[in-house]
Amino acid sequence: MASAPSDDVRTKFVTLSNASGKLYLSIENLWKAFGDFLALKDITLDIDEGEFICFLGPSGCGKTTLLRAIAGLDLQTKGSVIQDGKDVSNLPPSERDFGIVFQSYALFPNLTIERNIAFGLENAGRSKAEINDRVSELLKLVGLPDQGKKYPAQLSGGQQQRIALARAIATKPGLLLLDEPLSALDAKVRVHLRHEIKELQRKLGVTTVMVTHDQEEALTMADKIVVMNHGVIEQVGSPTVIYREPKNLFVADFIGEMNQVFSTVAKDGRLSIGEKTFACRDHSFSDGKPVVAAIRPEDVIPHEDGYDPGVENRNCIDVLLREMEFLGSFWRCRMQNDRFGESELIADFSINAVRRLDLGEGKNMVIELPSDRLMAFERPEVG
C-alpha cells in the first residue's frame, strides 16, 4: 500500500532518551484501597535509570495515587516499591531518595528564593559555603541567577515553578517526581517550560516520573508513557508506539484524535462498513465480529473527485466535504458518506494539499484509508 505524499499529512513525534538500560525503579503487584474503593489494581512497572516517564490518564485514573505511593506519601495497601535495588515499600518519605515538585509549587512565602532552594540542604547538614555554592549553581541552571534575594510572590508562575524544580534537585536525588507541574500555568509559558524541564532532565540524567493529564505534554516530554485508566495500566511504550500502535480503543481515543466507525469483520479479515469492505491491519477478531474501525485524521489521504484507485486499491471512498476549519499549518476537514451512517470522518490536510486539490466546503472528493493505518478494536459495550 502506498503511503501518503509528504505534503499531505502532518509529521509526528520524535523523543530522545537518557535511559541507561539499567533498572532503577521497580513497582511490583501494587494495590491501593481507600475504604471500599480500589484506586490502584495490581500495578507492575519497571523504570530504567535516567528515563523520563509520564503517567498519563483522565482524572481519577490513579496516576497521582501511584506517584504518591512511590514517594511514600500514601503507602500502598499491598505490593512493593524497589528503588535502586533497595526495598523502600514501607519507608517514610524522609528516608526515600527523591525530590518532588507539586502543581502548586509549595514554595515557602516567608523565605527568599535562596532560602527556599537551600531548605533541603540545610536539613541535610551541609556547610554554609557548600550551600551557597549549590544555590548559586542551581539558580544559574534554571536561568534565574539574579533572583535569589526576592520572595516567591515577586516572581511569575513560570519562575516559581523553576525555583520549585531547583529546590527539588538541590540534594541531587536519584529520583525526581513531578505532580502536574505545569497545569497551573498559561499555555505559552507551559510550552516553553516543558522544553526547559526536559532539557534540564537530560543534562542531569535524573530518573524522572511526571503525572499529567495533558497528552501533548506526555508526547513531547516522555521517553516512555504509562497510560492509566480506572486504576490499571492500559499500555506502556514510547510516545511513537503509544500514538501509532495503541493496544485498545481507550488508548487510541485518549491519545490524539481518532475517527471511529462501527463495522463488522468480513470473511477475509477485512472491515465491512456499509456495503463496502476495507483492507486493514492484522487483527485477531473472528468473522462477523462487530468492531470499531479507527484511523487517525492525519492518516487519511486526499484525492481529487473522480480519482480512480484501480483494481489494486479498494480502500478509497467518495465523500462530501462538509466543513473546513483552518488551524494554521493544516485544515481540519469534516466529511460525510452514507456508509458511515451518522458518523463524520475527520481528516487533517496540509495547506499544500488543499491548494493542490482545490478543496472547499460542499465539494465532492475521494479519500483513501491506508490499510496499514486502518485499525480494528473491540466494540465497547453499551451502558
Side-chain angles (χ1 to χ4, degrees), residues 329-358:
S329 60
F330 67 98
W331 288 86
R332 175 150 291 175
C333 300
R334 300 178 185 275
M335 299 160 295
Q336 203 166 36
N337 180 289
D338 290 342
R339 290 189 177 89
F340 302 144
E342 297 181 0
S343 299
E344 287 183 324
L345 201 65
I346 299 173
D348 293 343
F349 298 144
S350 71
I351 294 174
N352 290 338
V354 171
R355 185 188 306 118
R356 175 171 56 83
L357 298 174
D358 191 27

Side-chain angles (χ1 to χ4, degrees), residues 359-370:
L359 301 179
E361 292 182 355
K363 286 193 171 184
N364 293 308
M365 62 179 299
V366 174
I367 58 170
E368 181 181 340
L369 310 180

Side-chain angles (χ1 to χ4, degrees), residues 37-224:
F37 174 68
L38 277 177
L40 297 173
K41 308 168 188 176
D42 199 17
I43 298 292
T44 294
L45 178 67
D46 289 338
I47 297 172
D48 288 342
E49 185 177 57
E51 274 192 311
F52 195 119
I53 302 294
C54 278
F55 294 166
L56 177 67
S59 297
C61 71
K63 56 188 185 293
T64 296
T65 302
L66 181 55
L67 186 87
R68 291 177 64 84
I70 293 171
L73 298 171
D74 280 323
L75 288 181
Q76 67 280 357
T77 305
K78 59 180 178 179
S80 60
V81 179
I82 312 295
Q83 183 179 350
D84 200 18
K86 179 182 179 181
D87 191 338
V88 299
S89 305
N90 297 306
L91 293 182
S94 59
E95 296 182 26
R96 303 193 189 197
D97 179 23
F98 70 91
I100 190 166
V101 178
F102 297 101
Q103 175 183 342
S104 60
Y105 320 138
L107 297 175
F108 302 114
N110 59 322
L111 299 182
T112 65
I113 297 308
E114 289 176 337
R115 291 291 309 282
N116 264 280
I117 297 174
F119 185 80
L121 296 168
E122 291 170 350
N123 288 344
R126 306 288 177 86
S127 69
K128 189 173 182 179
E130 187 179 0
I131 291 173
N132 289 339
D133 288 345
R134 181 63 173 158
V135 169
S136 178
E137 176 191 355
L138 288 167
L139 283 171
K140 290 178 183 177
L141 188 65
V142 297
L144 299 170
D146 302 322
Q147 307 298 316
K149 302 300 182 185
K150 292 184 178 180
Y151 288 85
Q154 296 175 282
L155 302 184
S156 68
Q159 290 173 323
Q160 289 184 54
Q161 194 60 285
R162 289 192 215 174
I163 298 303
L165 276 166
R167 185 179 64 181
I169 62 177
T171 58
K172 299 182 180 179
L175 180 65
L176 179 61
L177 303 177
L178 308 174
D179 188 7
E180 304 213 41
L182 306 179
S183 59
L185 304 173
D186 65 56
K188 194 170 183 179
V189 175
R190 204 160 58 233
V191 170
H192 179 69
L193 197 53
R194 74 189 184 202
H195 173 74
E196 289 193 348
I197 290 174
K198 182 59 182 175
E199 286 300 307
L200 180 62
Q201 189 269 342
R202 284 179 185 158
K203 187 179 297 183
L204 298 173
V206 60
T207 307
T208 301
V209 176
M210 184 175 83
V211 164
T212 183
H213 64 271
D214 187 318
Q215 55 181 271
E216 190 171 297
E217 278 181 14
L219 288 167
T220 55
M221 296 177 73
D223 298 320
K224 193 180 292 179

Side-chain angles (χ1 to χ4, degrees), residues 309-321:
V311 294
E312 295 182 358
N313 187 344
R314 295 181 290 171
N315 269 29
C316 287
I317 189 169
D318 298 312
V319 293
L320 172 66
L321 184 49

Side-chain angles (χ1 to χ4, degrees), residues 250-270:
F250 172 80
V251 176
D253 188 49
F254 188 77
I255 308 293
E257 193 80 35
M258 181 66 81
N259 289 295
Q260 301 179 35
V261 180
F262 282 173
S263 63
T264 305
V265 178
K267 288 184 178 180
D268 56 359
R270 296 165 66 89

Side-chain angles (χ1 to χ4, degrees), residues 25-31 40-47 66 79-80 226 228 231-233 236:
L25 186 67
S26 183
I27 301 161
E28 300 175 359
N29 307 116
L30 190 141
W31 296 70
L40 297 173
K41 308 168 188 176
D42 199 17
I43 298 292
T44 294
L45 178 67
D46 289 338
I47 297 172
L66 181 55
S80 60
V226 179
M228 299 183 64
V232 301
I233 293 175
V236 179

